[in-house]
Each structure stands twice: as structure tokens, then as C-alpha cells.
Amino acid sequence: MLEKKKIRGTNRVSVTFRQEMDEGVRALDLLGTFNDWTPGKHKMARRKDGSWSITVRLPKGAAHQYRFLADGKRWVTDDEADEIAVNEHGTTNGVVRT
């Protein structure tokens, strides 16, 4: 799930990414075009309800591709992204439009 809030007086949008995962997942990272697909740069936090979330500030008026990386080895595409895009590996990325 995506929640977006414009940040007044800036050209940025605050985006909260929230993802449900099975209980066995111990770590979840958010990777995308906005962080050069770098593992560990945006580590998500487990919430009391068991979901995972992180809030990042992204430039307004752009499309950003992203995926989640569970436990450093399993890629997960967000079903609730604004759009889905096929990537060069033949799998899919979520797209968030700001």
C-alpha cells in the first residue's frame, strides 16, 4: 500500500510504503530507482500489526520503479503499486507516481 503526502514548500512528496509479508521474513528492504537499487539503504520496520513500512521523500512529478527484497534474497513486487512495469530481467517492478 502506498500513502502519499505533498510536502508544502518543497518539490518533494512523502511516500509511505507498506507491505504484508509472511511471518518468517526477518528483514525487508525497499530498493528502487530512487536509491540506485542499493540493498540496506532503505530498511523497512516491522509494525505491530505484522506489516512492514518505511517513509521516504521523493521528487514530485516523477515515476519511480521499486521492489522489496526479503531477507536479502527474495524479490517481491508490490501488488498495490500505482502501476506495474516489466524490467530487464523479465520480472516486474512496482511504479509509484509522485
Side-chain angles (χ1 to χ4, degrees):
M1 178 172 77
L2 297 170
E3 295 176 24
K4 304 173 204 173
K5 294 179 186 170
K6 293 179 182 173
I7 302 170
R8 257 195 272 194
T10 72
N11 64 345
R12 301 185 83 66
V13 176
S14 175
V15 181
T16 299
F17 296 82
R18 188 171 297 147
Q19 182 68 24
E20 299 286 333
M21 296 296 297
D22 39 276
E23 288 183 26
V25 172
R26 299 178 59 92
L28 193 65
D29 287 327
L30 171 66
L31 286 79
T33 53
F34 47 85
N35 66 10
D36 293 323
W37 301 95
T38 306
K41 194 162 187 177
H42 289 102
K43 292 181 177 282
M44 299 179 74
R46 188 186 301 258
R47 300 167 50 94
K48 289 181 184 179
D49 66 5
S51 67
W52 295 77
S53 71
I54 189 169
T55 301
V56 296
R57 293 177 176 197
L58 299 174
K60 220 187 269 188
H64 309 275
Q65 292 193 27
Y66 69 97
R67 289 184 90 184
F68 304 109
L69 184 60
D71 296 329
K73 58 186 173 191
R74 181 170 55 111
W75 289 100
V76 178
T77 302
D78 185 357
D79 302 357
E80 298 183 26
D82 293 335
E83 297 173 26
I84 301 294
V86 176
N87 62 37
E88 66 272 12
H89 304 288
T91 57
T92 57
N93 296 335
V95 177
V96 57
R97 291 201 172 273
T98 56

